Amino acid sequence: MRTSIATVSLSGSLTEKLAAASRAGFDGVEIFENDLLASPLGPEEIRARCEDLGLSIDLYQPMRDIEAVPEAEFVHNLRRARRKFELMRRLGTDTVLVCSSVSPLAEDDDALAADQLGQLADLAQEFGVRVAYEALAWGRHVSTYDHAWRIVEAAGHPALGTCLDSFHILSRGSDPKGIEDIPGEKIFFLQLADAPLLAMDVLQWSRHYRCFPGQGGFDVAGLVRHVLSAGYDGPLSLEVFNDVFRQAEAGPTAVDAHRSLLVLQETVGLSRLPAPVVPTGIAFAELVTPDAEPVSALLGALGFARTARHRSKPVDLWQQGEARILVNTGPAVRRDGTALAAIGLESPDPQGAARRAEALLAPVLPRRRAPEDAPLEAVAAPDGTELFFCAPTAPTAPTATTVTTAPELPGWRADFTDTTAQPPPGTGVHRIDHLALTQPWHHFDEATLFHRTVLGLDAQESVDVADPYGLLRSRAVTTPDGSVRIALSVGAAPTEDDTHAQHIALAARDLVAAARTFQERGGRLLRMPANYYDDLAARFDLTEGELETYQSLGILYDRDAGGEFRHCYTRTVGRVFFELVQRDGDYRGYGAQNAPVRLAAQRAAKLLTGG
């Protein structure tokens, strides 16, 4: 099915928006009037630019406050409409969007509205134009799609149909099943947008918080199924008003938009994509660093051993149990120091996972590798993190003996030559519990959609966390069994001093023992204020001595209906820190209510050290 996007959904000039839509793979665009008015190009030039880019102009919008008005006002409206229809002929587009009136002059008179829309359609027909009448959710008298359709039906004009907008329909809680009663040929256009479920004025909700299908809480796919059942065969078009999107670079936003439509078409059965391949575990997390010494010291204190080195690259493998950390000191070092640059995801079908990612517009990453290196499929996430799809590694048990070569290890692990160093006793860490990735401020919704659709992860509810200097949004994406957990977070606005570093959470069997061992080896844990522990004692009935132990080690605690969660944090190296966690029972959260305390403690530590 053809895809389209309203230019209001993207940032930049009209020419920049058109170029971004074309590069992302859209078939057409809706020209938003303000974009045209601000463009130095004339209508014929815009038409030619779209033709050069392979884009059709599917809709011109919006025409406001037309119907159900006093006669003198309607005469003025027809004059205005004539000029717009002349403009549309120059643009080469044949459909105009007319929104239900919000004018205080509008009368609550369906018969008058039908008569005046019919006269408007008479005029439009002279120019070869169709009128698509849309019910705004905040329309003065017409605010539901079925009401708008009754007026269109009463007018009975061949050049007058309806435009359906998923936001206007779903934000009011209307039942979209009634769409199937509208003849498909009278649905002139379909506009799609999702939105988070918010309790707020619908106009403000619409103007600032729309998002692409799959990023919010609406059942957009269900609505589209009803529209298709009615016989609609026009384009699927996105109309998204979003403050973040309008400030972000147009290119990535357009790619994210088109990805949302690809997944939507798959969901409603309009197309087939390579099937999702859900990862089964975390093969490794890769750190890049200009200085291996502080990272090595931190990993050693955490009980990791440097067990192997890459045959042809300056990359060391540190391991404890099934937790594997790669330390890369090669030339691809981030200017801001140590950073989490790549994640290896264990996959039952690495090639299938890569095909899925590529079909959903994920950038495929070229790899510089020696002929003998294992072929690894890799793509880039929206924040630039490299994602490698790896064949599952062979299980290894913690050992205090010399590490020996294991040529039977599959995939990426075969690229590493084992060391003969004697590993230190571990701290009880046995796997990577989760990874926390701080997103660029304009990529949060895109990242959620990417990880959910490309990787097949389930998205949990978004959580707002109070940071000392703003608000932090966080949303976890996971496999059902928790073998892969990734927490995505973003600040409320861009900042040059972003202390929301990435981190790697390590699962420990006995957190208190792991924390003590870490400290005995010279590791420094983040200290928490005494006020936190006073509050903890008030909220939970902890055993004798438990509270004192937690306070002495900087351990945070949480409990829900499923179980208990204990966690503590190392100091930050570059832009990375580690978290030690212990989950008991069926606790599935991440200690979100402790996050404000942790963030404040990290801010204080940063100020104290000057780093």
Side-chain angles (χ1 to χ4, degrees):
M1 206 162 186
R2 296 181 65 257
T3 59
S4 186
I5 187 170
T7 55
V8 73
S9 306
L10 303 172
S11 68
S13 67
L14 180 57
T15 52
E16 290 171 326
K17 297 178 183 205
L18 296 176
S22 175
R23 286 195 300 267
F26 283 95
D27 301 304
V29 292
E30 304 175 32
I31 298 289
F32 194 70
E33 187 170 63
N34 286 356
D35 290 322
L36 181 138
L37 298 179
S39 175
L41 301 181
E44 292 82 7
E45 293 173 295
I46 294 171
R47 177 178 183 172
R49 179 67 60 90
C50 287
E51 289 174 351
D52 291 342
L53 293 170
L55 295 171
S56 58
I57 302 177
D58 297 324
L59 186 75
Y60 184 73
Q61 64 125 327
M63 192 175 290
R64 302 184 187 277
D65 298 333
I66 292 289
E67 84 286 5
V69 294
E71 181 62 25
E73 183 69 15
F74 185 63
V75 170
H76 172 74
N77 288 346
L78 286 181
R79 177 184 173 278
R80 173 163 57 99
R82 177 178 291 276
R83 297 297 296 267
K84 295 305 179 183
F85 295 155
E86 291 171 350
L87 169 66
M88 290 174 62
R89 186 156 58 185
R90 296 169 64 192
L91 275 174
T93 185
D94 66 356
T95 306
V96 64
L97 174 69
V98 173
C99 303
S100 63
S101 181
V102 298
S103 170
L105 298 176
E107 301 176 22
D108 188 7
D109 187 336
D110 285 4
L112 179 61
D115 177 67
Q116 291 184 346
L117 286 173
Q119 292 183 58
L120 179 70
D122 278 335
L123 179 61
Q125 200 166 35
E126 295 177 20
F127 293 86
V129 169
R130 304 185 310 164
V131 175
Y133 182 55
E134 171 189 72
L136 293 179
W138 53 91
R140 183 171 178 83
H141 300 299
V142 179
S143 58
T144 62
Y145 79 90
D146 50 338
H147 191 176
W149 164 239
R150 289 197 301 271
I151 293 172
V152 169
E153 188 176 31
H157 197 290
L160 178 64
T162 189
C163 173
L164 299 174
D165 183 304
S166 64
F167 179 86
H168 294 307
I169 295 170
L170 299 175
S171 65
R172 292 187 60 87
S174 298
D175 185 352
K177 187 173 184 359
I179 292 171
E180 297 185 21
D181 297 329
I182 304 174
E185 66 274 11
K186 298 300 286 184
I187 302 175
F188 282 3
F189 209 74
L190 174 64
Q191 293 178 317
L192 299 173
D194 205 338
L197 302 180
L198 302 173
M200 67 184 307
D201 174 74
V202 69
L203 176 58
Q204 297 302 313
W205 190 10
S206 172
R207 286 287 175 260
H208 302 284
Y209 295 100
R210 293 195 193 196
C211 53
F212 298 129
Q215 294 177 339
F218 289 162
D219 183 12
V220 179
L223 180 141
V224 171
R225 289 189 183 98
H226 291 305
V227 176
L228 296 175
S229 294
Y232 175 75
D233 61 0
L236 300 177
S237 190
L238 297 170
E239 186 196 39
V240 172
F241 299 88
N242 184 293
D243 295 343
V244 173
F245 295 172
R246 283 183 286 203
Q247 297 176 67
E249 186 181 348
T253 303
V255 170
D256 185 38
H258 199 235
R259 178 183 296 126
S260 75
L261 286 186
L262 291 173
V263 175
L264 179 63
Q265 291 181 84
E266 177 188 43
T267 303
V268 301
L270 288 173
S271 66
R272 295 185 63 183
L273 298 172
V277 180
V278 180
T280 55
I282 297 175
F284 60 80
E286 181 175 354
L287 303 178
V288 294
T289 182
D291 184 2
E293 184 175 345
V295 178
S296 299
L298 180 57
L299 289 172
L302 285 167
F304 282 78
R306 191 174 73 87
T307 59
R309 186 169 180 84
H310 198 280
R311 286 194 303 257
S312 59
K313 300 174 184 177
V315 179
D316 290 328
L317 169 61
W318 292 74
Q319 185 164 349
Q320 183 177 184
E322 296 304 308
R324 307 175 192 88
I325 309 294
L326 303 184
V327 179
N328 185 340
T329 55
V333 173
R334 297 273 287 269
R335 65 180 181 178
D336 48 0
T338 304
L340 176 58
I343 301 170
L345 296 171
E346 294 187 348
S347 172
D349 181 6
Q351 288 73 33
R355 286 194 297 271
R356 169 80 175 182
E358 188 172 4
L360 287 175
L361 311 179
V364 177
L365 297 176
R367 290 196 66 223
R368 296 183 300 275
R369 64 183 184 89
E372 66 274 12
D373 287 350
L376 281 181
E377 308 287 350
V379 298
D383 65 348
T385 301
E386 298 181 358
L387 301 175
F388 291 89
F389 301 113
C390 309
T393 51
T396 56
T399 176
T401 60
T402 300
V403 180
T404 57
T405 303
E408 75 280 5
L409 288 173
W412 69 273
R413 184 60 180 83
D415 290 343
F416 287 78
T417 301
D418 292 345
T419 68
T420 56
Q422 185 78 10
T427 57
V429 166
H430 58 98
R431 64 185 291 266
I432 293 177
D433 181 87
H434 66 272
L435 300 164
L437 304 178
T438 302
Q439 303 298 302
W441 69 277
H442 52 280
H443 281 316
F444 184 72
D445 289 324
E446 179 185 1
T448 301
L449 181 67
F450 177 93
H451 287 84
R452 186 178 64 79
T453 61
V454 174
L455 303 182
L457 302 179
D458 297 330
Q460 298 182 355
E461 289 298 317
S462 180
V463 177
D464 290 339
V465 176
D467 177 86
Y469 298 95
L471 195 66
L472 184 73
R473 292 177 64 199
S474 180
R475 192 171 193 180
V477 288
T478 73
T479 54
D481 63 357
S483 59
V484 175
R485 298 186 182 98
I486 300 175
L488 308 169
S489 63
V490 68
T495 173
E496 294 180 0
D497 182 29
D498 188 358
T499 59
H500 303 141
Q502 301 163 319
H503 76 267
I504 301 171
L506 304 169
R509 292 184 171 86
D510 183 338
L511 181 63
V512 170
R516 283 176 172 157
T517 302
F518 175 71
Q519 287 196 144
E520 290 167 359
R521 294 176 178 173
R524 298 177 63 192
L525 291 169
L526 190 67
R527 293 298 173 185
M528 302 299 161
N531 292 335
Y532 168 78
Y533 295 98
D534 289 340
D535 179 68
L536 198 63
R539 290 190 294 123
F540 297 108
D541 184 17
L542 300 175
T543 61
E544 184 177 354
E546 191 175 1
L547 188 70
E548 291 75 11
T549 298
Y550 294 166
Q551 185 168 0
S552 68
L553 296 170
I555 291 175
L556 302 164
Y557 178 86
D558 191 30
R559 183 190 301 167
D560 64 14
E564 296 176 295
F565 187 64
R566 298 167 178 84
H567 54 138
C568 59
Y569 298 87
T570 72
R571 296 296 181 94
T572 303
V573 176
R575 288 181 51 80
V576 174
F577 60 92
F578 288 86
E579 179 184 10
L580 292 169
V581 310
Q582 179 181 336
R583 295 178 184 271
D584 292 320
D586 193 30
Y587 184 95
R588 299 191 178 187
Y590 301 84
Q593 70 175 3
N594 293 329
V597 178
R598 185 263 295 178
L599 289 165
Q602 287 179 316
R603 290 274 188 179
K606 181 182 177 70
L607 292 173
L608 186 64
T609 61

